[in-house]
Amino acid sequence: MKKISSMEYNSLVWFIIRAGYLGISLSNLIMISQRDSWLSGIIAMILGFIPLGIFVYLRNYSDNMNICDLNEHIFGKFGKFLNLFLLIGVFMFIQIAFLDMVRFINSQFLYSTSSILISIVFIVPLLYGLLKGLNAISRTSLIMFYLIILTIIFIILGVINGVDIDNLRPAFLTSPGNIIHGSLILIAYNILPLFFLLIIPKAKIENYKPKRTLIFYVLAIVSLINAVFLTIGSFGIELSLLFEYPEFHLLKKLSVGEFIDRIESLLSMEWIIALFILVMVGLYFITTTIKQTFKLNEKTNKVGIFLTCLLLLIINPLVFNTKNSLDEFLRGPMLIIMFFFFFILPICMLIGCKLKRIYDKNSG
Amino acid sequence: MKNKIILLFICLFLLCGCNNYRELNDLAIITGIAIDKTDNGYEMNFLIANSPKAQTSSKEGEAKTTVYAGTGKSLTEAVKSIATESPKQLYFGHIKVVVISEDIAKDGVFKVADWLIRNTEMRKQFYLLQAKGEKAGDILKVVSPLESFPSQSIATLIESNHNTQSLSIDTNYTTFVSRALETGYDPVLPSILIEGKVKKGTSEKNIETTEPEAYLKLSDIALFKKDKFVGYIDERGGQAINVLNNEVNELRFDFEYNDGLVGFSSANMKTKMSIKDINTVELKVNGSGHILGVDNKVDLTNTKVIKEIEAALEKHMEKELNKTIEKLQNKFKSDVLGIGKQMFIKYPDKWEKMKDEWNDKYFPKLKITIKTNITIDGSGSLKNSIEEVQS
């Protein structure tokens, strides 16, 4: 199989970190950390090095093994159960991301259109991408990455003029507990999903260097902190709390040279693409794990991919009737679920790797 | 290959459009909204662009815009009533101005704000104005000689006035709501009135004469305490508020010097607010500008005279700014300068105790000192005054 380039891999890192921003982490972060949301962002970036370090270690453990192989290698038969267990966490998160993406489009652009129809429109390219494989996914991601960078520069140029630094002052008014809670939200929904990328074995990435991943990680988090800064700086905390998608309403203010405006729909594609790529990588994780665990052939694997997408489509309208109920879930139970699946379990895997190494060394 | 064709075929059906698809001809594009209070609720007027006729109306003599009115206990009901009159589907994505009546403003803008901000179709960047002594609905009906749509005419009026004179306030809806929600900041709105007879202004004949019988005019600035209207301040007060809020693009005014008037223009006026302590605030106004006109004998080539003019200018500005601040503090008790916000930034703990009584107790007692430092760096196309040269 053809390898994916280091740049393609890092563009996936970028999108996965930025995906959870719209509707998942930002509104909850602002609600909890208020004016000090930027501080939560900085703390999240620093604390985020811990899970990032764990993921880099697990990736570097072996060249040819992905996370499923690694679990089976370390834990034996129990590893298979662990892999299937991990699927639950991944599926839960991508279900929420998919729901968020569909709900955003439904509430802000296509309010007369059935959400099922919008879901189908996205499921078709997801299915196509998964059938095509990792190379198609990563190449799409890279093309989109260049496009998105231009979009972000455009947004910053158009919005920065309306930022009032006083809207972010005074600092440190929020309780330390809330600031930490806010940073945990960012870590859970923006950094921990990087675990999904462990489904790609190191050998499949051409010229893989953790240092590059680190650079992309820092850039993506800084871009998120910048988005928080622009949103609160432009609207003030009161209005930011009032809007359902403050980051989208910010784009409505965008005006470059007073002749380029009314382009919020075009620019908001940035988040939709990021969420789309996150869901695609998540689905790739699920289908690859199922394929490896049950040793499916190509034909049955395609059926598996189709059924997974169908499940995503069916569950979507059945969960969370309102954005508020989703937000409550994201601030509470989902946060614990995310840390359990993508922080506690990877730590167990890391300990397992270390013990396995010691055991192998001792047994000669 | 077969699969690809099937997939392409499915995509053709899925990606060809959606339920939200609407033909432009089927839309009634609303460009302005007016909200008045009635005994039982609200009256709304929608200014709808008569787009197909807008291009040919000058020949055919048809109106380029249509105003639909509807009433209801709530805004939603009023909109529903308009929807039953309009043959086309109402579209809110191109609203340029929203005019509210004095009654609405006195009652509290938040009562109608929710509907305006919740609607996802609206872009929230439209201008918000208050009708002064007029029915808000009438404002939208007055046709203007220089613009096709009254809504566009109002928007242009605000923009040009703000850009060249800084007499009016350039407030869009989001800014108003944001300021009204913010702690320690009260919002302001420009007001508008009809000069002349309303009935004559609504006819297209109004624009066929060189001297329209009715036209729209920006009037005093409406001051608010949170979302409730508290009073008007004149245009000079509006100019002072713009200076103190750093919202000046270009400023032009006259001041007295040597028994005559000197015109002054500045495009870089900046104000810095410093909170000295909980009771004292200092406002420093810095800037430079050039002389617009002199109506008596003044030797503008003499540096000493220029220094004297600068001193007179600073004195005039300090007097005007103090007069406005005095009105804001004692007459209106409206903190449109955001001093409370700066107090909150500097003394967040003390602010917690003050915030509920800020407007009525603490803000009026605040000692506000103004310092100006204005320099004259040009005298336009002339080196000296004509009268000086003549003598």
Side-chain angles (χ1 to χ4, degrees):
Chain A
M1 193 190 179
K2 209 184 149 195
K3 284 182 174 185
I4 65 166
S5 75
S6 167
M7 193 63 190
E8 284 172 353
Y9 173 77
N10 287 320
S11 70
L12 288 173
V13 170
W14 166 272
F15 278 119
I16 287 177
I17 291 175
R18 283 188 60 91
Y21 173 72
L22 175 86
I24 298 178
S25 60
L26 182 82
S27 49
N28 290 304
L29 172 70
I30 291 178
M31 192 174 282
I32 293 164
S33 302
Q34 307 248 328
R35 276 184 187 82
D36 296 318
S37 298
W38 59 272
L39 192 64
S40 290
I42 293 169
I43 294 172
M45 185 169 78
I46 297 162
L47 293 179
F49 282 115
I50 302 168
L52 189 74
I54 296 169
F55 300 156
V56 168
Y57 180 85
L58 292 173
R59 163 160 319 288
N60 287 340
Y61 186 80
S62 163
D63 281 356
N64 296 313
M65 283 191 273
N66 64 21
I67 192 70
C68 298
D69 300 324
L70 193 69
N71 282 339
E72 283 181 37
H73 172 72
I74 303 162
F75 302 108
K77 273 196 172 174
F78 177 72
K80 280 196 175 188
F81 288 106
L82 187 65
N83 287 339
L84 291 175
F85 191 58
L86 273 172
L87 286 190
I88 300 167
V90 177
F91 190 79
M92 275 181 87
F93 186 63
I94 61 159
Q95 184 73 62
I96 285 172
F98 190 68
L99 177 78
D100 180 52
M101 178 170 72
V102 172
R103 189 163 284 172
F104 170 68
I105 296 166
N106 198 205
S107 67
Q108 302 301 316
F109 306 114
L110 309 173
Y111 22 84
S112 307
T113 309
S114 148
S115 58
I116 301 257
L117 193 68
I118 300 169
S119 305
I120 293 170
V121 169
F122 280 100
I123 283 290
V124 172
L126 276 172
L127 200 63
Y128 184 74
L130 288 167
L131 291 172
K132 279 279 167 189
L134 182 66
N135 289 79
I137 297 170
S138 59
R139 219 173 301 140
T140 313
S141 168
L142 184 64
I143 295 164
M144 291 301 172
F145 173 73
Y146 292 124
L147 211 73
I148 291 317
I149 289 291
L150 286 176
T151 315
I152 291 172
I153 293 168
F154 203 73
I155 292 172
I156 294 171
L157 288 176
V159 174
I160 197 87
N161 201 28
V163 172
D164 180 3
I165 207 87
D166 282 347
N167 286 335
L168 292 138
R169 293 162 66 203
F172 311 111
L173 264 195
T174 319
S175 69
N178 280 359
I179 293 175
I180 296 294
H181 189 183
S183 58
L184 290 181
I185 281 185
L186 266 183
I187 294 171
Y189 304 124
N190 295 86
I191 299 170
L192 294 184
L194 283 176
F195 180 84
F196 300 177
L197 289 175
L198 292 181
I199 200 67
I200 308 167
K202 192 180 165 184
K204 265 194 184 175
I205 308 162
E206 208 177 294
N207 202 14
Y208 169 75
K209 283 195 175 80
K211 209 191 265 179
R212 284 187 196 161
T213 305
L214 195 77
I215 293 167
F216 271 76
Y217 163 82
V218 173
L219 284 177
I221 298 281
V222 167
S223 77
L224 287 185
I225 298 169
N226 178 50
V228 172
F229 167 79
L230 291 177
T231 308
I232 303 177
S234 295
F235 287 132
I237 189 68
E238 290 84 2
L239 205 57
S240 302
L241 285 168
L242 194 68
F243 282 131
E244 187 159 344
Y245 295 100
E247 59 278 39
F248 175 64
H249 287 282
L250 180 70
L251 299 184
K252 291 188 175 183
K253 285 183 96 174
L254 190 138
S255 173
V256 180
E258 288 189 14
F259 65 95
I260 303 173
D261 46 22
R262 290 180 181 268
I263 48 168
E264 64 273 8
S265 308
L266 190 74
L267 296 177
S268 62
M269 284 303 289
E270 176 209 342
W271 301 311
I272 296 168
I273 289 166
L275 279 164
F276 180 80
I277 287 170
L278 171 77
V279 174
M280 197 170 323
V281 173
L283 282 172
Y284 179 75
F285 185 102
I286 292 169
T287 49
T288 310
T289 310
I290 292 172
K291 187 185 171 188
Q292 280 185 220
T293 313
F294 298 106
K295 304 216 167 12
L296 301 178
N297 61 30
E298 278 307 309
K299 205 174 176 183
T300 40
N301 182 42
K302 280 180 183 174
V303 177
I305 290 171
F306 184 76
L307 287 176
T308 315
C309 290
L310 197 67
L311 198 64
L312 196 72
L313 192 71
I314 293 167
I315 294 177
N316 207 37
L318 305 176
V319 287
F320 305 112
N321 290 330
T322 62
K323 176 85 168 54
N324 281 345
S325 59
L326 173 65
D327 279 348
E328 272 174 29
F329 183 68
L330 288 170
R331 283 196 298 274
M334 191 61 195
L335 200 63
I336 298 163
I337 291 168
M338 287 299 283
F339 271 93
F340 173 73
F341 278 103
F342 306 118
F343 188 66
I344 306 289
L345 288 184
I347 286 178
C348 297
M349 290 168 201
L350 181 110
I351 295 166
C353 286
K354 291 258 181 199
L355 291 175
K356 178 86 179 161
R357 257 199 188 150
I358 295 164
Y359 177 78
D360 287 349
K361 219 176 186 181
N362 289 342
S363 59
Chain B
M1 191 61 194
K2 200 178 158 189
N3 287 343
K4 279 181 185 172
I5 292 168
I6 292 168
L7 196 70
L8 195 72
F9 193 70
I10 294 168
C11 286
L12 280 175
F13 281 98
L14 287 173
L15 305 173
C16 61
C18 49
N19 292 12
N20 283 78
Y21 168 74
R22 281 170 286 178
E23 280 285 347
L24 192 62
N25 284 342
D26 298 334
L27 294 178
I29 299 167
I30 302 164
T31 60
I33 292 179
I35 310 170
D36 284 282
K37 218 179 156 204
T38 61
D39 295 338
N40 301 324
Y42 299 97
E43 183 191 321
M44 289 182 92
N45 283 269
F46 287 175
L47 180 75
I48 294 167
N50 197 349
S51 43
K53 287 174 183 171
Q55 297 151 4
T56 54
S57 61
S58 55
K59 289 174 193 165
E60 294 173 9
E62 287 171 320
K64 290 166 191 165
T65 56
T66 314
V67 176
Y68 279 100
T71 53
K73 275 184 187 171
S74 65
L75 294 186
T76 321
E77 262 191 33
V79 175
K80 210 164 76 182
S81 133
I82 296 173
T84 56
E85 292 168 23
S86 167
K88 294 181 177 183
Q89 195 180 343
L90 300 172
Y91 179 68
F92 296 91
H94 281 274
I95 292 171
K96 201 83 183 160
V97 291
V98 171
V99 187
I100 54 165
S101 69
E102 268 178 14
D103 290 342
I104 299 268
K106 278 177 193 162
D107 231 26
V109 180
F110 283 164
K111 282 188 181 168
V112 297
D114 190 274
W115 180 81
L116 288 166
I117 211 159
R118 199 179 289 276
N119 191 318
T120 47
E121 224 169 51
M122 286 188 198
R123 297 188 70 256
K124 287 106 186 166
Q125 298 305 310
F126 47 80
Y127 290 110
L128 187 66
L129 295 103
Q130 184 172 315
K132 189 186 176 189
E134 310 275 356
K135 201 178 152 218
D138 288 340
I139 301 285
L140 293 185
K141 292 171 190 164
V142 177
V143 286
S144 161
L146 298 178
E147 289 285 352
S148 302
F149 304 136
S151 52
Q152 186 59 40
S153 165
I154 297 169
T156 317
L157 195 63
I158 295 174
E159 282 159 13
S160 65
N161 188 291
H162 186 76
N163 290 340
T164 57
Q165 306 285 334
S166 298
L167 290 171
S168 183
I169 305 285
D170 186 3
T171 304
N172 67 40
Y173 187 66
T174 314
T175 315
F176 178 86
V177 176
S178 165
R179 286 218 174 142
L181 286 171
E182 258 179 71
T183 186
Y185 221 137
D186 290 314
V188 283
L189 279 186
S191 75
I192 193 160
L193 52 82
I194 303 166
E195 201 77 44
K197 287 178 184 168
V198 182
K199 268 208 165 173
K200 296 206 168 165
T202 58
S203 161
E204 284 282 321
K205 282 179 185 166
N206 190 44
I207 54 172
E208 286 168 9
T209 60
T210 51
E211 197 180 356
E213 292 193 55
Y215 54 90
L216 294 171
K217 190 188 168 193
L218 283 178
S219 184
D220 299 338
I221 306 301
L223 302 171
F224 285 74
K225 215 190 262 186
K226 291 290 124 192
D227 68 320
K228 288 192 171 69
F229 168 66
V230 286
Y232 290 109
I233 195 160
D234 60 13
E235 286 174 344
R236 287 167 89 173
Q239 210 171 34
I241 291 169
N242 277 331
V243 170
L244 296 172
N245 271 338
N246 273 326
E247 279 166 8
V248 168
N249 283 332
E250 197 176 341
L251 189 71
R252 289 175 189 183
F253 59 87
D254 289 337
F255 61 95
E256 281 182 11
Y257 175 72
N258 264 3
D259 302 326
L261 285 175
V262 177
F264 175 75
S265 167
S266 171
N268 61 355
M269 205 71 89
K270 287 273 170 276
T271 303
K272 199 183 164 202
M273 186 188 292
S274 9
I275 308 286
K276 295 288 168 195
D277 59 57
I278 206 130
N279 301 311
T280 322
V281 178
E282 189 183 84
L283 294 162
K284 272 187 188 167
V285 184
N286 292 308
S288 62
H290 61 270
I291 288 168
L292 274 182
V294 182
D295 68 356
N296 65 346
K297 237 173 79 178
V298 180
D299 182 11
L300 292 175
T301 55
N302 189 338
T303 323
K304 206 179 150 193
V305 174
I306 294 289
K307 287 280 168 208
E308 278 174 20
I309 297 173
E310 281 176 355
L313 169 62
E314 285 175 357
K315 202 177 156 191
H316 168 84
M317 274 201 77
E318 280 174 22
K319 195 178 145 195
E320 285 295 322
L321 296 176
N322 273 320
K323 215 158 77 181
T324 304
I325 287 172
E326 203 273 323
K327 277 184 193 167
L328 292 175
Q329 280 187 294
N330 302 317
K331 190 177 172 191
F332 302 111
K333 295 187 169 112
S334 169
D335 184 7
V336 298
L337 308 177
I339 297 174
K341 187 181 175 179
Q342 294 303 321
M343 206 60 95
F344 165 58
I345 290 169
K346 192 146 189 194
Y347 304 108
D349 298 332
K350 288 177 184 169
W351 175 255
E352 279 304 306
K353 290 168 198 159
M354 295 195 293
K355 68 177 182 188
D356 294 332
E357 291 179 302
W358 173 252
N359 284 74
D360 297 316
K361 192 177 165 188
Y362 297 99
F363 178 61
K365 285 181 189 166
L366 212 60
K367 193 186 167 205
I368 303 172
T369 51
I370 291 176
K371 285 183 181 170
T372 53
N373 179 22
I374 317 287
T375 51
I376 292 171
D377 55 16
S379 55
S381 304
L382 301 177
K383 284 184 195 166
N384 211 338
S385 72
I386 294 179
E387 285 206 35
E388 174 72 17
V389 175
Q390 199 185 32
S391 66

